[in-house]
Each structure stands twice: as C-alpha cells, then as structure tokens.
Amino acid sequence: WMKIFSRLNVISRRQGKRRMRCLNEGALSFRFPDGWQICKYDDTSFQKEHFNSFAGGSKGVDFVALSPEAVVWLIEVKDYRSRRRQKPMDLFLELAQKVRATLSGLVVLARREENPDAFFAQSALAPATAIRIVLHLEQPHFPSKLFPWLVDPKNLQDKLKQSLRPVDPHPLGGNSAILNGKVPWVVS
C-alpha cells in the first residue's frame, strides 16, 4: 500500500494536528487533506515511458487527486510569474487535450495490473462520483510588456467553461489567492 503511494510521489508531513499530503510543482506547494489519494500523473512511469508518446503525444495534467467523497480532481498548474509562455497553442485547447489524454491514460493504466500505478488509476475510476478540473494559473501581479497576463482573470472562468464543459460544467481557475478557499487543498 505505501509502496504504491511512494511511487506516485506522495509525501506526508504533519501540518499542525492534521496530516497533510504535500506535492510540489515548480515553486508551488500543494497541501491536500488527510484521506486524499494524490498522483503526480505526468511523473508516473506509465505516462513518461508509454502514454506520453501515444498518438503523436498525449501529455497529461500535473495532478490527479481522489477525495474521500470519490470526486476525481484533474489539476493543471501553470506559473508565468517569472517566465513567459513559449507555446503557440492556445492555453485552453492545451488544457482540454491534457484532460482528454489523462482520462484516456487512466483507463488504460487501470487495466495494466503489472504497473505499480495501476491501483491508483483503478481507485480513481471505479468509485468516481464526479470529475472536477482545476487550472491553477499564476500570472504576474502587475502585468508588463515583458511579463503580460496570458489571460485576463475576469475572463478565465468563461474560457474554462467553454473548453471543458463536456467533462466538467463548472471548472475552476485562478491563482493561489483566488483558489485557496474554493478548493479543498491549500497552495503556497
């Protein structure tokens, strides 16, 4: 049981009286409540060694998390505070493709019983009551010509809904200040 979670890059530490699972993505630290199962999906051996090259490239989201209420959370993290986006592809199209590839990858991974990450995929798919999508997007506090906003925060929710409605009619997006309190985990 613990071998599976250690292979999925899950780390536990004490946070006050509550146990929190902590995962890092770049300069951001995500702390999930006790009872959650979290997978740094794009770092799994299955994604890196097998599924990433499928069909010309199948990049996955950064985290897949399963809440105790059996809600699957697909979390993509983008931090443009100190660097500009280099990809010409639209951010929302990229996110939709990553969501599609992650869901497809989880279905295939769940059937690969010899893979140590298969148990997590089975757990995420079997009891899922809902699929939620979160875009954690950090942008410069004060946009400039050198570091402009990629997306006006006022338009973020509408653009997310337009591109992700078939999977999650109410996706969430924003930076740490906006998302902390709207999602069950904490980002710092």
Side-chain angles (χ1 to χ4, degrees):
W1 190 232
M2 289 309 288
K3 284 183 181 178
I4 291 169
F5 288 116
S6 65
R7 291 193 57 108
L8 294 173
N9 302 314
V10 175
I11 303 164
S12 294
R13 69 174 167 178
R14 292 258 175 222
Q15 184 82 15
K17 292 183 179 180
R18 288 179 63 184
R19 270 178 66 109
M20 302 288 277
R21 289 202 168 104
C22 183
L23 289 164
N24 295 322
E25 181 63 30
L28 299 169
S29 179
F30 290 74
R31 292 185 311 275
F32 294 87
D34 194 28
W36 283 62
Q37 297 176 42
I38 308 102
C39 169
K40 196 162 182 187
Y41 180 76
D42 60 352
D43 280 353
T44 62
S45 62
F46 173 76
Q47 175 63 21
K48 286 202 277 189
E49 297 168 15
H50 303 289
F51 212 70
N52 193 38
S53 60
F54 176 67
S58 297
K59 294 190 178 258
V61 299
D62 294 305
F63 302 121
V64 177
L66 178 62
S67 75
E69 299 80 26
V71 175
V72 175
W73 293 83
L74 304 177
I75 306 161
E76 179 65 12
V77 181
K78 299 290 185 186
D79 189 351
Y80 297 116
R81 292 175 294 183
S82 61
R83 63 179 173 79
R84 295 176 84 156
R85 180 172 169 83
Q86 302 296 318
K87 296 178 184 175
M89 180 188 293
D90 176 73
L91 174 66
F92 301 99
L93 175 60
E94 177 188 6
L95 178 58
Q97 289 176 350
K98 284 185 172 192
V99 166
R100 181 181 63 197
T102 300
L103 292 172
S104 301
L106 287 171
V107 169
V108 174
L109 178 57
R111 282 146 183 77
R112 296 259 177 112
E113 304 235 346
E114 74 283 356
N115 190 297
D117 300 327
F119 180 77
F120 177 84
Q122 293 165 0
S123 297
L125 294 173
T129 58
I131 298 172
R132 300 298 316 271
I133 302 168
V134 176
L135 172 61
H136 187 102
L137 177 64
E138 293 289 344
Q139 301 187 93
H141 292 293
F142 303 103
S144 66
K145 286 186 179 184
L146 184 58
F147 295 108
W149 277 344
L150 185 63
V151 179
D152 185 336
K154 296 174 193 167
N155 301 327
L156 181 61
Q157 285 304 128
D158 289 336
K159 290 187 176 212
L160 284 171
K161 285 180 183 178
Q162 289 170 359
S163 39
L164 301 169
R165 185 174 287 129
V167 178
D168 181 2
H170 304 288
L172 298 171
N175 61 18
S176 300
I178 292 169
L179 290 175
N180 284 342
K182 288 186 177 182
V183 294
W185 57 87
V186 177
V187 182
S188 55

